[in-house]
């Protein structure tokens, strides 16, 4: 493009035809008279963890008002699912909360199972627990690295991603894909774990606790880290509850609510683990909780791996009306061919009913609402996602803190914009 | 280049301006610190320990478009985000290149719906497309090396 033309296009975008009147009621009167400053943060900003835009009203360095503007990643996933059969909609759910696709698969699969009253074999449940806890570790590792970078500790990211690569390698072993695995499916999982999976995960479980100690050695007692995190972004328990916050952000405020304990699914009630709780509800407590969750996840994984070796059996429901037959059966059984053809062309009918199902994702409660039609496509699918709730609480949480603390607060409630906007 | 081996350690390298400039450009191409969606996480992986983009002189991500040479559009581009990306591109100084990372950025991917721009090339010119959902870090590296090949072939006559 010619230079002159390009400058013209910039000028066109600069022209703002709005007026401050549009902001009346949203920001304080002092902003309109120019006494305080309005600052636009995002949607292209390294520390907003994606394409979040915040309009901040600042008095000096202090935040008076914070107005989040979401929707920069609105992908229309819920609407797209309405046009797909139940099984074929699954890959879309991967791409909502892209830091832990397994949790999205799980919540969608559980919702469909609830709608169909479909059974899940025990082995599948154990594999699911392994996947979910690995996903929790992988997601917390990204959180740890990016949160530390936001606060100025550059090296943590490199360590965190080193371990994350190993988890992604295991996901690839299971599903053939590093991130968007679509592995957990209605009725069970896509396929059984490959032979070399167990030795790999055992090696990982042996190595990982020492790595978590390393992260702690870098941060937990680091005076700079403490200065930036302690007493910052305090969320009172009642505020957290009023805004529907869940997950580590809620538990940081000392509220004991973890769906794995409160409404167990996939056999979580049979595992032994603790739910770490915070006291002060500040950025530092939320950090400590996630670090402890690494260790709790290790506990669950150790138990699950031991169980997986013991429990044999199908990895997917044998109900052929809903779950496709094994490939090996296709050459021998006419019935298997018919089921296969039906399932991969038409799918299956689900009752005209509505259900809601929720699980604990690394970020908090992720829920799936499905309204069936009696045919092979849903009337409406809706996801209740933790990031959306957490962003809604940002204006309350950030009030009165400094601009530099905003970055710490955003990082500590751990939002993913794909999860919020979907 | 590669002349230095032939000349020994005389301390002299002969080359053309074209080649020298293109070599410099490929050796320190600073990407814009910019991510849109899932693909940005794989982009982060390629920056981190195992894949280490700094081997190609790209460890320095600039958060401001004024200092960046390369825009890696990593992820799905929504209609709401499109003007922002266009503005970022406009603000980058010449010479500048664009890599479209992932199916969504290249062609809309699985989302053929009301919300997603069907490929970033609808709003900005793209040099290299990378397929995959998300592309593996190796694929991104391959895309970047492909771009380097392209840059090495650029001619002074075309710069103006
Ligand atoms: S190509 Fe796939 S991984 Fe990349 S942004 Fe699109 S949906 Fe996400």
């Amino acid at each position: 493009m010619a230079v002159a033309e390009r400058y013209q296009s910039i000028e066109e975008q600069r022209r703002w035809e709005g007026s401050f009147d549009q902001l009346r009621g949203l920001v304080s009167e002092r902003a309109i008279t120019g006494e305080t400053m309005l600052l636009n943060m995002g949607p292209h900003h390294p520390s907003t963890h994606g394409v979040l835009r915040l309009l901040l009203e600042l008095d000096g360095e202090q935040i008076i008002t914070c107005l989040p503007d979401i929707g920069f990643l609105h992908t229309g996933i819920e609407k797209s699912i309405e046009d797909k059969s139940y099984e074929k909609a699954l890959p879309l759910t991967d791409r909502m909360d892209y830091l832990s696709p397994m949790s999205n698969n799980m919540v969608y699969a559980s919702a469909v199972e609830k709608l169909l009253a479909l059974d899940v074999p025990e082995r599948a449940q154990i594999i699911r627990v392994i996947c979910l806890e690995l996903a929790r570790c992988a997601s917390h590792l990204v959180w740890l690295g990016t949160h530390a970078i936001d606060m100025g500790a550059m090296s943590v990211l490199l360590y965190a991603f080193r371990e994350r690569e190993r988890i992604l390698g295991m996901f690839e072993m299971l599903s053939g894909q590093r991130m968007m695995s679509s592995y957990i499916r209605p009725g069970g999982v896509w396929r059984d774990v490959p032979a070399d999976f167990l030795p790999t995960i055992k090696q990982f479980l042996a190595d990982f606790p020492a790595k978590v100690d390393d992260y702690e050695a870098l941060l937990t007692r680091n005076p700079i880290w403490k200065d930036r995190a302690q007493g910052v972004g305090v969320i009172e328990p009642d505020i957290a509850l009023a805004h529907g916050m869940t997950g580590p952000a809620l538990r940081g405020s000392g509220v004991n609510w973890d769906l794995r304990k409160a409404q167990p699914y996939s056999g979580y009630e049979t595992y032994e683990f603790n739910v770490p709780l915070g006291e002060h509800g500040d950025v530092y407590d939320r950090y400590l909780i996630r670090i402890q969750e690494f260790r709790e996840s290790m506990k669950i994984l150790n138990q699950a791996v031991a169980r997986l070796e013991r429990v044999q059996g199908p990895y997917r429901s044998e109900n052929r009306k809903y779950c496709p037959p094994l490939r090996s059966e296709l050459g021998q059984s006419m019935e298997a061919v018919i089921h296969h053809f039906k399932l991969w062309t038409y799918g299956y009918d689900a009752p005209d009913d509505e259900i809601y199902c929720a699980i604990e994702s690394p970020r908090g409660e992720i829920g799936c609402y499905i309204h069936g039609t009696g045919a092979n496509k849903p009337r409406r699918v809706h996801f209740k996602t933790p990031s959306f709730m957490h962003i809604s609480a940002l204006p309350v949480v950030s009030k009165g803190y400094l601009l530099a603390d905003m970055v710490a607060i955003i990082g500590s409630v751990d939002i993913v914009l794909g999860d919020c906007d979907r | 280049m590669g002349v230095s081996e032939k000349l020994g350690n005389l301390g002299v390298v002969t080359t053309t301006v074209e080649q020298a400039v293109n070599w410099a450009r490929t050796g320190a191409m600073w990407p814009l610190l910019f991510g849109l969606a899932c693909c940005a996480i794989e982009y982060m992986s390629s920056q981190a320990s195992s894949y280490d983009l700094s081997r190609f002189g790209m460890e320095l991500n600039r958060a401001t478009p004024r200092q960046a040479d390369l825009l890696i559009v990593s992820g799905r581009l929504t209609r709401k985000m499109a003007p922002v990306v266009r503005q970022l591109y406009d603000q980058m100084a010449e010479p500048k290149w664009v890599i479209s990372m992932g199916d969504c950025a290249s062609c809309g991917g699985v989302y053929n719906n009301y919300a997603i721009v069907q490929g970033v090339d609808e709003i900005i010119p793209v040099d290299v497309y990378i397929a995959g959902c998300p592309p593996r870090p190796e694929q991104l590296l391959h895309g970047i090396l492909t771009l380097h090949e392209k840059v090495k072939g650029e001619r002074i006559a075309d710069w103006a």
Side-chain angles (χ1 to χ4, degrees):
Chain A
M1 204 194 308
V3 176
E5 217 180 300
R6 206 172 59 245
Y7 276 112
Q8 205 178 354
S9 83
I10 296 176
E11 283 309 315
E12 265 167 31
Q13 286 176 14
R14 283 234 182 90
R15 225 180 298 133
W16 182 49
E17 281 160 4
S19 76
F20 276 111
D21 285 339
Q22 291 174 331
L23 292 173
R24 239 176 249 282
L26 295 172
V27 295
S28 76
E29 275 304 308
R30 289 162 66 209
I32 293 168
T33 57
E35 224 176 305
T36 53
M37 186 170 95
L38 287 176
L39 182 74
N40 183 39
M41 184 176 174
H44 159 65
H45 189 281
S47 308
T48 50
H49 290 235
V51 282
L52 171 66
R53 175 170 170 246
L54 299 168
L55 185 64
L56 301 172
E57 184 193 345
L58 301 172
D59 183 1
E61 279 271 305
Q62 219 177 20
I63 298 168
I64 312 271
T65 330
C66 158
L67 296 172
D69 179 5
I70 59 170
F72 286 99
L73 200 55
H74 174 68
T75 318
I77 288 180
E78 288 171 3
K79 192 73 191 164
S80 299
I81 289 181
E82 286 169 25
D83 201 33
K84 297 196 184 302
S85 64
Y86 288 95
E87 180 102 6
K88 287 181 184 168
L90 189 87
L92 288 179
T93 65
D94 276 316
R95 288 148 178 88
M96 296 189 316
D97 176 356
Y98 39 77
L99 290 188
S100 69
M102 288 284 190
S103 318
N104 305 344
N105 292 165
M106 177 68 190
V107 70
Y108 178 75
S110 325
V112 173
E113 282 152 13
K114 202 165 160 186
L115 188 65
L116 302 172
L118 189 61
D119 63 302
V120 183
E122 195 188 350
R123 188 170 167 85
Q125 294 196 359
I126 298 170
I127 301 177
R128 281 179 172 190
V129 168
I130 293 181
C131 291
L132 290 175
E133 293 307 316
L134 283 178
R136 190 179 313 279
C137 291
S139 167
H140 281 2
L141 283 170
V142 178
W143 159 81
L144 181 70
T146 51
H147 188 37
I149 271 209
D150 288 348
M151 312 254 272
M154 301 296 285
S155 50
V156 182
L157 180 98
L158 300 176
Y159 295 112
F161 267 70
R162 181 185 60 188
E163 270 70 67
R164 184 169 182 269
E165 285 300 325
R166 293 180 65 179
I167 299 182
L168 293 191
M170 282 188 266
F171 284 163
E172 190 175 6
M173 239 179 216
L174 292 173
S175 68
Q177 242 278 25
R178 281 157 53 89
M179 278 170 66
M180 306 303 170
S181 40
S182 297
Y183 180 63
I184 298 176
R185 307 212 174 163
V189 295
W190 172 50
R191 63 172 183 189
D192 210 348
V193 295
D196 48 355
F197 179 74
L198 277 174
T200 318
I201 190 170
K202 277 185 193 159
Q203 187 58 43
F204 175 75
L205 290 177
D207 297 345
F208 193 58
K211 311 281 185 194
V212 179
D213 292 341
D214 284 352
Y215 311 145
E216 283 222 82
L218 280 171
L219 294 175
T220 304
R221 277 190 297 282
N222 183 331
I224 307 174
W225 182 260
K226 278 181 157 179
D227 275 354
R228 289 290 312 265
Q230 277 179 339
V232 170
V234 176
I235 309 178
E236 299 298 338
D238 51 335
I239 298 276
L241 288 171
H243 283 271
M245 296 179 91
T246 43
L250 176 68
R251 294 195 286 273
S253 307
V255 183
N256 190 351
W257 180 253
D258 186 326
L259 287 182
R260 289 176 294 173
K261 289 274 190 202
Q263 301 169 9
Y265 50 90
S266 199
Y268 265 113
E269 65 276 16
T270 56
Y271 295 90
E272 208 159 301
F273 65 101
N274 301 321
V275 179
L277 292 180
E279 288 167 29
H280 315 288
D282 56 3
V283 172
Y284 190 69
D285 272 13
R286 293 195 278 280
Y287 155 78
L288 284 184
I289 283 183
R290 292 204 180 87
I291 292 285
Q292 285 169 43
E293 281 194 0
F294 280 131
R295 303 192 201 281
E296 297 304 326
S297 288
M298 287 299 110
K299 271 192 211 164
I300 301 177
L301 280 170
N302 276 318
Q303 297 167 39
V305 168
R307 248 182 244 187
L308 189 64
E309 284 178 302
R310 229 179 31 240
V311 177
Q312 296 302 327
Y315 54 89
R316 208 170 176 183
S317 167
E318 306 266 84
N319 187 339
R320 292 281 167 257
K321 292 285 169 249
Y322 298 121
C323 293
L326 291 179
R327 237 195 145 68
S328 53
E329 285 173 26
L330 288 186
Q332 294 151 13
S333 150
M334 190 60 210
E335 208 176 316
V337 176
I338 293 171
H339 283 313
H340 181 88
F341 182 73
K342 175 91 189 301
L343 283 173
W344 294 121
T345 51
Y346 178 79
Y348 39 75
D349 290 339
D352 184 356
D353 201 1
E354 46 186 338
I355 53 100
Y356 177 77
C357 178
I359 67 159
E360 185 81 16
S361 90
R363 260 156 284 286
E365 172 184 335
I366 180 167
C368 178
Y369 163 89
I370 300 185
H371 194 159
T373 51
N376 64 340
K377 289 172 187 168
R379 178 173 292 130
R380 176 82 169 98
V381 171
H382 177 69
F383 289 94
K384 178 233 169 259
T385 52
S387 301
F388 182 73
M389 306 289 165
H390 293 173
I391 290 176
S392 80
L394 278 183
V396 188
V397 175
S398 64
K399 196 165 275 175
Y401 293 103
L402 301 183
L403 177 58
D405 295 337
M406 192 69 215
V407 171
I409 295 170
I410 294 177
S412 76
V413 295
D414 195 12
I415 50 177
V416 168
L417 267 292
D419 191 31
C420 169
D421 296 343
R422 52 208 185 270
Chain B
M1 306 275 270
V3 230
S4 43
E5 291 94 45
K6 290 185 198 132
L7 291 178
N9 55 359
L10 286 178
V12 179
V13 175
T14 55
T15 180
T16 62
V17 176
E18 231 168 40
Q19 278 182 349
V21 170
N22 286 343
W23 169 79
R25 282 181 176 175
T26 54
M29 203 179 258
W30 291 356
L32 181 66
L33 180 47
F34 175 66
L36 286 173
C38 348
C39 285
I41 307 295
E42 281 298 60
Y43 175 36
M44 273 161 66
S45 300
S46 1
Q47 296 248 312
S49 4
S50 308
Y51 296 96
D52 196 12
L53 268 185
S54 47
R55 287 178 292 164
F56 308 100
M58 293 181 62
E59 72 269 48
L60 207 54
N61 277 290
R62 303 314 296 187
T64 156
R66 303 277 185 212
Q67 298 168 349
D69 309 309
L70 172 63
L71 176 64
I72 299 182
V73 185
S74 49
R76 44 193 188 244
L77 183 65
T78 60
R79 298 205 183 277
K80 187 170 177 179
M81 192 66 191
V84 182
V85 173
R86 174 70 214 195
Q87 183 162 14
L88 286 172
Y89 178 77
D90 284 341
Q91 285 176 340
M92 285 164 66
E94 293 274 6
K96 53 189 171 186
W97 297 275
V98 178
I99 288 181
S100 138
M101 178 182 183
D103 289 348
C104 286
S106 301
C107 65
V110 283
Y111 309 105
N112 189 358
N113 62 20
Y114 63 93
I116 297 294
V117 176
Q118 299 297 304
V120 279
D121 47 8
E122 290 194 6
I123 58 163
I124 51 179
V126 175
D127 292 285
V128 174
Y129 298 87
I130 305 175
C133 182
R136 301 175 60 91
E138 289 97 331
Q139 277 174 285
L140 178 60
L141 293 184
H142 180 252
I144 288 168
L145 294 180
T146 311
L147 180 67
H148 284 182
E149 287 310 311
K150 183 176 174 181
V151 171
K152 279 183 197 151
E154 279 179 5
R155 303 185 52 84
I156 290 186
D158 303 333
W159 290 350

